[in-house]
Amino acid sequence: MKILHVNYYDTRGGAAKATYRLHRGLLDSGCESIMLVAEKKMNDDSVIPGFSAQQLHRLHIKQKIEAALTRLPRIRHNFPHSLNVFDSGLVEKINFIKPDIVNLHWINGCMLSIKELEKIEAPIVWTLHDAWPYCGAEHHHVHEDTRYKDGYDRSSKFNINRYIWQQKFEHWSDLNFHIVTPSSWLEKEATESRIMSSKAVHLIHNGLDANVFSPSGSKKKIDKKVIAFGAFDVNDWNKGGTELREALEIFRDKYKSEFELLLIGNGKFDSQFKVKSTGFINSDVALAEAYSCADVFVLASKYDNLPNMLVEASACGVPLVGFKTGGIP
């Protein structure tokens, strides 16, 4: 069986990591698996670029136009937004490969337009890494927002979230694809959503190598108390750096405790605490060793699906702290 995974990145972000692990796991089990990406960074022949240099340049121009459009009024800018209204032509390459199954993952960044999904000839399995597929243009929604269930308002004023939701509803209602959610939270929301409620929804957690991420893999090497905090970009508003900084001040003042903050990921964390940063770690072995240095791992995301770092740290035997939101519980 030939399985084609489609994801924008091959190395950047949680969706890319989860996709690549699934792809390599299928290869190891004897399946013919290919990973198709918009921007290829790693040296792996089983991962192929979807665009030429010239096509990628045009894609970046479309992304700038889309970014400008999402600055229109009535957009909630705290969460990322994607439109996916510009055709990329990638569907032609997908059909040329002739896979038995197309496994879509994170396809934003103008990688595939909403309409192009209708042109994919092979059966589709779509693994959701956020709420964008059943919302409007937004990748997440605030707690009290139930428009993904009820349909978006029909006021006379133009609303880009409503427009994108209507495009999805129009072009995907008759498509018979299967939905995979890595968390029970996304499973519940996808099942309740008006766009996905008619689809088959399956709960399949993201996997990892338990021989690498293991409590026995490495022992803590630092004597002082270490609080680890991680994200692809630690300065991402959604990842909760501000809330963590406030919590650490309370913790220090209340318990008179000295500790070191270990940052795992890109970006800088401005604070009065002692901070050690690993930068982005691409090696799973090195990542497991970093987790093993910590007494506790904090993930302060306001919204998240099934964070890889939370699962990885847990597999290494590190206690976890996070908000009761999304797929984190």
Side-chain angles (χ1 to χ4, degrees), residues 18-19 58 139 324:
T19 303
R58 289 199 293 266
H139 284 252
K324 187 179 180 182

Side-chain angles (χ1 to χ4, degrees), residues 32-255:
E32 183 179 358
S33 182
I34 303 168
M35 188 170 170
L36 181 67
V37 299
E39 299 191 30
K40 179 180 177 179
K41 302 296 182 184
M42 66 173 57
N43 183 24
D44 184 336
D45 291 339
S46 68
V47 179
I48 59 176
F51 303 101
S52 66
Q54 186 178 28
Q55 289 172 329
L56 193 58
H57 176 69
R58 289 199 293 266
L59 192 72
H60 289 161
I61 293 174
K62 292 175 185 176
Q63 290 170 0
K64 291 179 180 178
I65 296 171
E66 182 176 291
L69 290 172
T70 59
R71 297 189 191 103
L72 291 170
R74 304 184 68 152
I75 281 281
R76 289 190 176 99
H77 281 287
N78 283 338
F79 295 127
H81 289 69
S82 296
L83 306 183
N84 287 57
V85 293
F86 301 115
D87 289 354
S88 69
L90 186 67
V91 68
E92 296 176 6
K93 187 157 191 171
I94 292 174
N95 291 336
F96 177 79
I97 294 172
K98 296 186 183 302
D100 295 301
I101 292 176
V102 174
N103 191 175
L104 301 178
H105 292 269
W106 199 87
I107 59 169
N108 300 111
C110 303
M111 189 179 190
L112 278 168
S113 73
I114 292 170
K115 295 179 182 179
E116 283 181 308
L117 266 63
E118 294 179 302
K119 302 176 183 178
I120 295 176
E121 296 172 356
I124 296 173
V125 173
W126 196 346
T127 301
L128 307 191
H129 296 278
D130 56 36
W132 182 84
Y134 56 78
C135 287
E138 66 272 40
H139 284 252
H140 297 290
H141 62 86
V142 294
H143 290 294
E144 64 273 14
D145 188 351
T146 60
R147 292 178 299 173
Y148 72 95
K149 299 181 185 179
D150 311 324
Y152 283 58
D153 65 86
R154 300 180 180 274
S155 64
S156 58
K157 292 183 178 180
F158 177 74
N159 183 307
I160 199 164
N161 282 319
R162 182 182 70 230
Y163 174 77
I164 296 302
W165 184 88
Q166 288 174 337
Q167 289 294 300
K168 293 175 183 178
F169 189 77
E170 176 183 346
H171 293 283
W172 297 349
S173 291
D174 295 332
L175 294 184
N176 186 27
F177 50 73
H178 284 248
I179 302 298
V180 170
T181 66
S183 68
S184 54
W185 163 65
L186 268 187
E187 179 191 29
K188 180 177 183 294
E189 289 207 343
T191 302
E192 293 174 344
S193 72
R194 194 169 173 193
I195 287 178
M196 301 296 183
S197 60
S198 62
K199 318 298 183 190
V201 180
H202 312 268
L203 173 64
I204 304 176
H205 300 301
N206 294 332
L208 49 71
D209 189 341
N211 293 317
V212 174
F213 296 99
S214 166
S216 60
S218 180
K219 295 188 181 296
K220 190 172 183 294
K221 302 173 182 177
I222 301 175
D223 292 334
K224 68 180 64 177
K225 296 297 182 182
V226 176
I227 299 173
F229 172 62
F232 179 79
D233 179 3
V234 298
N235 300 122
D236 183 343
W237 170 85
N238 181 49
K239 298 304 179 181
T242 300
E243 288 78 8
L244 173 62
R245 192 178 294 108
E246 294 173 354
L248 290 177
E249 291 174 358
I250 296 171
F251 176 73
R252 178 200 57 195
D253 296 341
K254 184 173 182 178
Y255 297 103

